[in-house]
Amino acid sequence: MLNMNMMMIAGSNRTNASSTCLLRYIEGLLKNRKISVTLVDLREQPLPFFSPDEQELHPNVQRVLEAASNADGLILATPEYHGSVSGLLKNALDYMNAGHVAGKAVLSVSSAGGPVGVSSLTHLQTIVRNLHGVNCPEWISIGYGSNAFDPDGAPLDEGMRSRIQNAVEQFVELTGMLAAKAAAAN
Ligand SMILES: Cc1cc2nc3c(=O)[nH]c(=O)nc-3n(C[C@H](O)[C@H](O)[C@H](O)COP(=O)(O)O)c2cc1C
């Protein structure tokens, strides 16, 4: 199997955000499989508002784009905001083009205040499609926000842990297939 390299983008601007907590949990699952992971937390590494006029890229933007370019697969995390993606994550994605995402597997995950937040996930899948990425057939939505995790950062619900495990396995398998295809083409 190829040595895989994943990039994760945490799209909440909240301290102890549940969507970021979910990413950290997934990061642990990937690292258990000896997969290398770069996590960009947009709260800790804020990006200026994207402007097509701006020629010079902020160092944080350069880091995000470099990590995306080097990644075999991406995981995007957002809070459910008014049935959509956070502005923070959308802004980061506006910096990207197909060169960063095309042909790569992308897993979308969300955290909602209500029981489920799939509207943001649907919107993320549309954005990924427009960047020519390959949406993972599974996605992850955790409900009831920060009540969903134990103090060690693991989801409290056993069914949720199992769904996350399954989605991550499918994402890793898809990433491996697409990365092997890309390697063979080069
Ligand atoms: C501006 C705003 C809009 C929100 N819209 C929704 C919504 O449409 N549906 C929902 O279930 N929760 C909504 N929520 C609640 C958040 O999705 C919830 O608090 C989530 O857990 C936040 O994720 P985070 O902890 O990763 O920041 C909203 C919260 C804010 C601040």
Side-chain angles (χ1 to χ4, degrees), residues 19-49:
S19 52
T20 308
C21 195
L22 173 60
L23 271 195
R24 297 253 175 234
Y25 180 71
I26 295 172
E27 182 184 27
L29 297 180
L30 292 172
K31 286 188 169 166
N32 286 346
R33 301 174 72 135
K34 312 278 183 241
I35 293 171
S36 131
V37 185
T38 303
L39 196 159
V40 174
D41 184 341
L42 295 171
R43 177 168 175 75
E44 290 172 359
Q45 299 174 55
L47 310 185
F49 278 128

Side-chain angles (χ1 to χ4, degrees), residues 5-150:
N5 179 28
M6 307 297 195
M7 180 201 191
M8 303 174 129
I9 306 181
S12 175
N13 206 17
R14 192 158 82 95
T15 320
N16 301 322
S18 46
S19 52
T20 308
C21 195
L22 173 60
L23 271 195
R24 297 253 175 234
Y25 180 71
I26 295 172
E27 182 184 27
L29 297 180
L30 292 172
K31 286 188 169 166
N32 286 346
R33 301 174 72 135
K34 312 278 183 241
I35 293 171
S36 131
V37 185
T38 303
L39 196 159
V40 174
D41 184 341
L42 295 171
R43 177 168 175 75
E44 290 172 359
Q45 299 174 55
L47 310 185
F49 278 128
F50 172 74
S51 165
D53 296 334
E54 195 57 64
Q55 300 295 318
E56 208 166 307
L57 294 177
H58 186 282
N60 286 356
V61 176
Q62 289 179 21
R63 271 193 286 275
V64 167
L65 297 184
E66 197 180 312
S69 294
N70 293 336
D72 298 304
L74 292 96
I75 306 181
L76 308 175
T78 184
E80 179 95 359
Y81 276 178
H82 304 319
S84 191
V85 178
S86 71
L88 208 67
L89 181 60
K90 180 63 169 65
N91 185 54
L93 293 171
D94 286 344
Y95 279 101
M96 294 193 187
N97 56 46
H100 303 104
V101 184
K104 296 179 183 177
V106 184
L107 174 64
S108 296
V109 310
S110 76
S111 168
V116 76
V118 295
S119 189
S120 58
L121 295 177
T122 308
H123 293 183
L124 269 180
Q125 293 217 329
T126 300
I127 295 168
V128 168
R129 168 66 191 85
N130 280 276
L131 287 166
H132 302 274
V134 181
N135 281 301
C136 182
E138 296 296 326
W139 60 25
I140 303 167
S141 163
I142 51 160
Y144 306 118
S146 50
N147 299 330
F149 295 91
D150 71 18

Side-chain angles (χ1 to χ4, degrees), residues 138-186:
E138 296 296 326
W139 60 25
I140 303 167
S141 163
I142 51 160
Y144 306 118
S146 50
N147 299 330
F149 295 91
D150 71 18
D152 293 329
L156 286 165
D157 181 61
E158 193 186 327
M160 177 53 72
R161 289 199 299 274
S162 156
R163 281 197 294 282
I164 294 170
Q165 181 81 41
N166 177 47
V168 168
E169 270 169 31
Q170 290 209 30
F171 169 66
V172 169
E173 193 179 328
L174 181 64
T175 304
M177 277 167 45
L178 294 171
K181 190 177 160 209
N186 287 328

